[in-house]
Amino acid sequence: MKTLSFRCELPNGIHARPASHIEAVCNRFDSEIIWTNGRTKLSANAKSVLSLIGTDTLLDDPCQLTIDGHDEETAFAALREFIEKDLPACDAPLETTEQEDEHLALPRNLANLNPKLIRGRAVSAGFGQGQLLHIGAINFDNIESIAATTQDEEQDRLKQGLETLKTSINIQLKAATHTEFEVLNAHLSIATDREFNSTLASKLSIGKSCADAVIATAKHYGEMMKNSSSTYLRERELDIRDVCFQLLQAIYGEQRFASQLELTGPSICMADDLTPSQFLELDKSKLKGLLLTHGGSTSHTVILARSFAIPTLVGIDGNSLQAYLNQEVLIDGSLGFVATEISEPLSRYYQQESFVAEQVAKRQEAYRFEPGCSQDGKKLEVAANIAHSVEADSAFTNGAEAIGLFRTEMLYMDRSNAPEEDELYNIFCQAIEAANGKSIIIRTIDIGGDKPVDYLNIPAENNPFLGYRAIRIYQEFLPMVKTQLRAILRASAHGRLKIMIPMISSMEEILWVKDVLAEIRQELRSEHIPFDEKIPLGIMLEVPSVAFIIDQCCEEVDFFSIGSNDLTQYLMAVDRDNAKVLKNYNSLNPAFLRTLDHVVNEVHRHGKWIGLCGELGAKGSVLPLLLGLGLDEISMSAPSIPATKERIARLDSRECRQLLNKAMQCRTALEVEHLLAQFRMTQSDAPLVAADCISLDRDLRSKEEVIKTLADNLYLTGRCRYPNKLADDLWAREDVFSTGLGFGFAIPHTKSEHIEQSAISVCRLAKPIQWGDEEARFVIMLTLNKHAAGDQHMKIFSRLARKIMHAEFRDHLMNAESAHQIEAILKAELEII
Ligand code: PEP
Ligand code: MG
C-alpha cells in the first residue's frame, strides 16, 4: 500500500471539475484508491466524482491518497505528478465575460434618480421589466412519482437511459467551447460515476421505479453538496440536478419530462449559461430580458437574443441577484444594468423611453420596406451585416434589401474543430430561405488578427493585423477553405449567393482564389452536384494597395465591398484596437475620403458594383458623404437600417456630392467634421421657436423629467440625435447654478454640439415642481447649436430673463390657450423672425 500526503491547493476546493480530473487519472489503474480529508475526516473512493466531492475538501485541507493494488507503484508515480503539476491547473476559473470597458456612464436624468443597480456587460440593446427567474434549476419536489414495473424492466430502462445520456453529452462535447467542454465533461463524469450509478441501482433494488430512483439520488447528492462548507460547492448542486433531469428525459422522453423553462408572465431570466436550444425554447412574448453570468458577446445564445431583440447582459454577478429572485426587476441592455427596485420615478423614466421608441418605430415604419432612395431619386441599397444565419430573419424584418456581409468566422469560433461541409451548407441554406430571393454576400473566413480560432494553432504574433490573417492563411488550411467554398457553391443552387474574399492585397491572391474556385467547380460538375455557374466573385476592398490596381482588379472580379474598418486602419497605419492611437483612426480624414472617391469612380468606370460594409455605413453623420460617393450599397447591423433609410430619403444626392467635393478639399478631419455639422444645420430650416417644441399642462414631476422629456422631443422632431448627451450638457449648466428665475419660471440652457437645429422648447406644467431652490411651472429651454452664430445664446437668454421680470409677459404665457399662442408671444417678444 502506498500513501501520498499533500495539501489541497485549489481555491474552490474539490468540486465537480477537478474531481472529474482526479477520477479520470485514478480510473486508469486497478488499485483501490481512497482520498481522505484530514480536516473533515471524510474518506472517499477517488474513482468517483461524487464521492470525492462528498469529502468537502477545501483550500489548504490536509489530504491523503492511499493506493492499494498490484499497480500501486505506477499509480503512485502518476498521481504524485498529477497532484503536483496538473491538479492546481484544473480549477482555472470558467470564462466569464471580460469587462472590456468600464461600466457605461448613466445619463444624468437617470443617475439623478439614484437607482439601485447591479451592473453587467450590455450585449443586446433595449429594456424590459419582469419577474426575475433563475432558469436551469430543476425542482425535484414537483415531480410526480411513477410506479415501478418489474425490477428487471426498470434496470433495463435505467441502463438504456444512462447510455442515451452519455451519447448525448458526448455529441455535445464534440462541438463544445472551452467553457462548455469543462461543464459537459463534469456532467459526463457524474453520469458515469461509480457511486452515482450504484446509488441509482440500490434504489431500484428496493423496488423503486427509475423515476423515483433518479429523484431520490438527485436529492441525496444534492443534500450532500448543499451542506458543503464551500459556497462554490454548494452551487455545484445544480450540476447534479441538471444531470438527473437529463437522465429522466433520456429514460422517459422529453415529452413526459418537459424542460421546466415555461414562463408564466413577463420574465427576466437569469442563468449561469443557457444553450441556444434552451433559449429557443423560451416563450419570447414573455421573455423580457436575459442575464447570463457566463457567455461572451459572440456566443450563439447572445446572437439569438439580439436577433429576437431580447435585452441581454453577460458577466453579471449571479450571487448579488439571488436576493431579488421572484421580484420585479428592470433590465437595460443598452446601459448594462438590472435595477432591483423599481421606484415610481424610474418606472416613469422607462415609460418615457418606451414612448420615444414607439414614436421612432412608427416614423421609420414608412421607410422600412422601401428601397434606400434619396429625395432626388438616387438609389442606395441598404443591406445588413450578419454573422450567423439565425440573424437573417431579423435582418429582413428590419428592412434589409440584401445581406451585404455574412461574416462566417463565427461559425468557426468557440468550438473544438471546423464545421463540416453539410453543417455549413445547411446554415447557408437557412439564410437563403430567410432572404426569399434577395441576395447574400458570403465572405469566406477572415480568421487570424483579432479573430483567433484555437484549434488552428496559429501562433501569437506581434502585429496580428499585419500578419497571418484571412486569405493569407488559406494555403495552409486549404482543405478547410475548400470545404467552405464547396458549401457556398452547393447552397448557391438554391438562392442568390455571392462569394467575397477578405483582405485581398494583390493580384496574385485573386488569381490563386480563382484557381481554387475553378477546381471546386470542376469537382462539383464531375459529381453532378448543382450550383450557380454564374455565382459572382468579389473582394473586400480593405487593403490600400488594391486601390492602386483597382482597374486590373475590375477585370478579374465582379464586385467590391469596402471594409472601412480595416481600410481606415491600414491607410492611416493605425491599429483599430489600440486606444493610444485611436485619435488617428478617423475615417473622415480627407486622404481616406479621396481614396474612397477614387475607387468608386474607377469601379463604376469599369461597369462593376461597389458597396461598403464597415461600421462607417451606419454612421448617420457620415451618410451624406457616402451618398455623395455614389456607392451602390451600404451594409450595416440590422437595427440601424430603418433609421438609415429614413435619413437617405431626406438627403439630396447632388448636394451630397458637392459636400463630398468640399470635404475632399479640407485639410484635416476636424474641418470635415465641421463641414458635416454645418451641412446638417442647413438640412432643415426648422425655426428657433416652433409649436412642435411647445407642450402645455404636462404631468411632469421633477426637473429630471422635464429635461428628459424636452430633450427627447428635440430628438423626435429631428433637431438632435443624442438626447441623453444634450440633456447631460443641460445638466452641466444646472450644476453650476440652477436656472430657476423665480415667479414659477425656469430657463435651462446650453450651447451644445448635440443640438443640430437650435431650438427654444417650452413646457407648461400641470403642477409646479422643485427647480433648485425655486419652484417652477413654466420651463423655457434654450438649446443652441455650438456652431451657430456667436453670442446669440446669451442675447436670447438675457432678453428672456428681462422679459420674465414683467408680470404681463408671464401672465400671457401662463394663461396662453395653445402652443401656437405661445409660439407667437415668444417670437414677438424676443424679436425672433
Ligand atoms: C471591415 O474591415 O470594414 C470589415 C467589414 O471587416 P471586419 O470588420 O470583419 O474586419
Ligand atoms: Mg475587415
Side-chain angles (χ1 to χ4, degrees):
M1 188 165 75
K2 306 276 299 175
T3 317
L4 184 63
S5 299
F6 55 94
R7 277 191 183 273
C8 172
E9 288 183 29
L10 301 179
N12 294 310
I14 303 299
H15 58 87
R17 268 186 300 130
S20 64
H21 287 277
I22 300 168
E23 175 227 38
V25 180
C26 293
N27 272 315
R28 294 198 330 241
F29 306 99
D30 293 334
S31 295
E32 190 189 28
I33 307 177
I34 304 293
W35 176 292
T36 307
N37 178 348
R39 178 182 61 85
T40 59
K41 308 282 181 275
L42 294 169
S43 291
N45 176 356
K47 295 182 177 177
S48 154
V49 171
L50 292 176
S51 186
L52 279 166
I53 293 173
T55 61
D56 202 8
T57 304
L58 301 180
L59 176 68
D60 276 341
D61 281 354
C63 299
Q64 210 171 51
L65 275 174
T66 38
I67 311 159
D68 192 8
H70 70 92
D71 53 2
E72 61 190 34
E73 289 292 340
T74 34
F76 176 82
L79 277 164
R80 189 171 57 187
E81 181 159 341
F82 171 77
I83 299 283
E84 278 171 14
K85 290 199 187 137
D86 303 325
L87 187 62
C90 287
D91 196 23
L94 288 185
E95 279 166 42
T96 47
T97 311
E98 284 163 44
Q99 200 66 44
E100 277 165 7
D101 35 24
E102 282 295 292
H103 292 136
L104 298 168
L106 298 185
R108 277 294 298 272
N109 285 322
L110 178 60
N112 284 5
L113 309 181
N114 293 319
K116 231 178 126 191
L117 307 179
I118 296 174
R119 306 293 308 244
R121 188 166 149 226
V123 290
S124 175
F127 52 89
Q129 191 176 322
Q131 203 184 18
L132 180 64
L133 298 180
H134 189 282
I135 53 174
I138 293 140
N139 187 352
F140 285 98
D141 289 331
N142 296 345
I143 295 178
E144 271 179 40
S145 146
I146 293 178
T149 52
T150 67
Q151 240 183 60
D152 280 352
E153 258 181 63
E154 294 294 335
Q155 266 161 1
D156 279 353
R157 271 187 169 172
L158 179 65
K159 200 167 151 221
Q160 265 180 15
L162 280 164
E163 280 314 308
T164 314
L165 176 62
K166 279 184 264 176
T167 315
S168 144
I169 299 180
N170 274 317
I171 291 172
Q172 292 178 58
L173 272 171
K174 285 204 174 112
T177 64
H178 169 67
T179 308
E180 282 166 13
F181 190 86
E182 290 289 314
V183 174
L184 286 168
N185 232 355
H187 284 190
L188 190 60
S189 313
I190 296 174
T192 52
D193 189 277
R194 290 169 189 224
E195 294 275 327
F196 181 72
N197 280 278
S198 69
T199 311
L200 285 169
S202 71
K203 306 283 177 199
L204 292 192
S205 67
I206 55 167
K208 283 186 185 285
S209 66
C210 283
D212 290 358
V214 174
I215 295 168
T217 307
K219 287 186 176 171
H220 167 74
Y221 289 109
E223 280 305 310
M224 191 169 96
M225 294 202 192
K226 253 196 235 163
N227 293 333
S228 163
S229 4
S230 148
T231 337
Y232 194 89
L233 270 183
R234 285 197 299 272
E235 284 169 19
R236 295 311 102 196
E237 186 226 336
L238 278 179
D239 292 327
I240 295 282
R241 285 202 252 167
D242 221 353
V243 172
C244 287
F245 194 73
Q246 286 179 56
L247 182 55
L248 284 178
Q249 289 182 315
I251 299 172
Y252 294 98
E254 288 185 19
Q255 270 175 341
R256 178 121 190 212
F257 286 95
S259 86
Q260 305 185 342
L261 293 177
E262 207 168 315
L263 307 178
T264 50
S267 311
I268 309 286
C269 292
M270 117 190 194
D272 283 347
D273 225 333
L274 201 64
T275 62
S277 50
Q278 278 181 306
F279 174 83
L280 289 171
E281 248 180 73
L282 293 166
D283 178 350
K284 305 305 171 303
S285 67
K286 299 196 176 107
L287 181 64
K288 300 297 170 198
L290 196 58
L291 305 167
L292 301 174
T293 51
H294 301 303
S297 55
T298 56
S299 84
H300 287 163
T301 306
V302 168
I303 286 185
L304 281 170
R306 260 187 233 130
S307 66
F308 282 93
I310 305 291
T312 303
L313 309 182
V314 295
I316 192 144
D317 177 11
N319 290 336
S320 12
L321 282 167
Q322 289 293 337
Y324 305 97
L325 279 178
N326 303 320
Q327 294 179 23
E328 194 80 356
V329 296
L330 185 147
I331 175 177
D332 189 319
S334 311
L335 294 170
F337 66 74
V338 178
T340 51
E341 274 170 25
I342 309 175
S343 61
E344 203 193 338
L346 188 68
S347 173
R348 287 172 60 84
Y349 181 96
Y350 279 96
Q351 275 165 25
Q352 168 68 9
E353 288 282 278
S354 297
F355 168 78
V356 173
E358 272 164 30
Q359 296 300 310
V360 170
K362 249 190 231 163
R363 201 178 66 198
Q364 290 173 351
E365 205 46 46
Y367 302 95
R368 185 181 292 242
F369 296 110
E370 292 298 313
C373 184
S374 69
Q375 211 178 55
D376 58 322
K378 173 109 173 103
K379 290 261 163 50
L380 172 57
E381 188 177 285
V382 184
N385 293 350
I386 61 170
H388 197 283
S389 57
V390 295
E391 289 179 280
D393 262 334
S394 92
F396 292 110
T397 47
N398 268 301
E401 293 178 69
I403 300 294
L405 172 66
F406 186 156
R407 286 183 169 101
T408 54
E409 304 72 76
M410 220 199 67
L411 310 176
Y412 292 74
M413 291 160 91
D414 284 339
R415 51 192 291 158
S416 49
N417 47 13
E420 299 195 352
E421 185 178 316
D422 280 347
E423 183 181 342
L424 292 169
Y425 168 78
N426 288 333
I427 291 173
F428 299 145
C429 286
Q430 271 168 23
I432 287 172
E433 206 178 314
N436 196 15
K438 299 194 170 93
S439 68
I440 301 175
I441 298 179
I442 300 187
R443 183 176 75 181
T444 53
I445 41 177
D446 185 2
I447 288 169
D450 61 335
K451 301 162 183 159
V453 167
D454 293 346
Y455 53 86
L456 297 185
N457 295 319
I458 297 176
E461 297 171 81
N462 284 340
N463 291 310
F465 278 118
L466 296 181
Y468 205 43
R469 168 180 180 194
I471 172 97
R472 299 169 181 190
I473 72 162
Y474 284 13
Q475 224 147 8
E476 182 178 340
F477 300 101
L478 194 54
M480 183 175 81
V481 174
K482 280 188 164 175
T483 300
Q484 185 181 37
L485 288 169
R486 263 182 77 101
I488 303 174
L489 282 172
R490 277 176 55 201
S492 73
H494 311 292
R496 289 177 57 204
L497 294 190
K498 302 180 190 178
I499 300 176
M500 179 158 74
I501 316 293
M503 268 284 278
I504 291 283
S505 62
S506 68
M507 183 56 74
E508 285 85 341
E509 288 164 342
I510 297 179
L511 298 177
W512 181 81
V513 166
K514 288 181 80 170
D515 283 347
V516 173
L517 255 178
E519 250 176 61
I520 300 172
R521 285 166 195 257
Q522 201 46 47
E523 253 174 52
L524 291 174
R525 279 186 210 113
S526 60
E527 291 170 36
H528 305 290
I529 296 177
F531 65 94
D532 175 7
E533 289 277 358
K534 293 204 177 101
I535 186 166
L537 173 68
I539 62 170
M540 290 285 291
L541 203 163
E542 52 187 349
V543 180
S545 54
V546 172
F548 297 94
I549 51 165
I550 193 83
D551 51 336
Q552 294 170 338
C553 294
C554 284
E555 286 162 18
E556 298 296 337
V557 300
D558 304 300
F559 70 93
F560 300 83
S561 187
I562 298 169
S564 55
N565 307 340
D566 277 320
L567 186 58
T568 308
Q569 90 164 336
Y570 294 135
L571 191 75
M572 307 306 297
V574 184
D575 178 347
R576 73 196 224 194
D577 287 343
N578 182 341
K580 286 228 163 90
V581 290
L582 214 58
K583 69 174 188 323
N584 303 35
Y585 184 95
N586 193 333
S587 306
L588 290 182
N589 189 296
F592 183 75
L593 298 178
R594 288 181 186 199
T595 309
L596 295 190
D597 190 46
H598 167 70
V599 293
V600 175
N601 284 338
E602 278 297 291
V603 170
H604 284 165
R605 200 163 64 83
H606 288 83
K608 296 282 162 88
W609 185 99
I610 182 161
L612 182 146
C613 60
E615 302 305 309
L616 204 61
K619 273 203 172 160
S621 56
V622 183
L623 190 61
L625 297 179
L626 302 183
L627 183 63
L629 278 167
L631 287 160
D632 296 296
E633 170 242 43
I634 46 177
S635 192
M636 62 199 64
S637 71
S640 305
I641 291 175
T644 303
K645 284 188 176 176
E646 184 189 358
R647 285 197 194 104
I648 296 174
R650 296 183 196 281
L651 291 169
D652 182 298
S653 71
R654 294 154 303 185
E655 284 176 19
C656 290
R657 178 68 228 182
Q658 283 167 3
L659 179 73
L660 176 67
N661 288 343
K662 277 194 205 155
M664 286 191 298
Q665 294 313 313
C666 288
R667 289 150 56 98
T668 64
L670 192 66
E671 279 179 41
V672 178
E673 271 168 42
H674 284 306
L675 193 68
L676 288 175
Q678 276 161 12
F679 180 78
R680 281 198 298 275
M681 280 168 60
T682 60
Q683 280 303 288
S684 140
D685 45 12
L688 194 59
V689 182
D692 62 359
C693 293
I694 300 174
S695 60
L696 298 184
D697 308 324
R698 295 290 301 265
D699 170 26
L700 299 177
R701 302 180 189 173
S702 65
K703 193 166 174 178
E704 285 76 17
E705 284 193 6
V706 172
I707 291 183
K708 175 165 177 55
T709 308
L710 293 186
D712 285 348
N713 185 58
L714 290 169
Y715 168 64
L716 292 174
T717 52
R719 295 181 188 239
C720 127
R721 280 185 301 140
Y722 304 106
N724 286 337
K725 290 184 180 165
L726 179 66
D728 285 356
D729 284 351
L730 285 155
W731 275 107
R733 246 177 214 269
E734 294 295 321
D735 288 341
V736 182
F737 60 91
S738 182
T739 53
L741 286 186
F743 311 109
F745 277 74
I747 322 183
H749 54 279
T750 183
K751 192 165 181 180
S752 162
E753 61 182 313
H754 299 299
I755 181 91
E756 277 160 22
Q757 298 296 320
S758 298
I760 296 182
S761 311
V762 173
C763 181
R764 191 171 71 192
L765 299 167
K767 285 191 190 142
I769 56 164
Q770 202 62 37
W771 198 280
D773 297 334
E774 312 274 345
E775 277 207 332
R777 222 198 109 196
F778 204 104
V779 180
I780 305 178
M781 185 171 95
L782 261 67
T783 43
L784 298 193
N785 182 284
K786 205 173 175 184
H787 305 278
D791 58 355
Q792 192 194 12
H793 172 216
M794 283 327 286
K795 269 190 192 152
I796 298 178
F797 180 76
S798 45
R799 212 178 293 162
L800 198 54
R802 275 200 310 275
K803 292 274 174 198
I804 289 172
M805 295 300 136
H806 298 288
E808 198 185 351
F809 178 72
R810 296 197 303 268
D811 288 348
H812 275 155
L813 291 177
M814 283 288 192
N815 301 321
E817 278 169 9
S818 67
H820 287 290
Q821 213 175 339
I822 291 186
E823 180 189 355
I825 297 170
L826 286 178
K827 279 185 172 164
E829 298 282 339
L830 299 178
E831 294 161 37
I832 296 166
I833 329 116

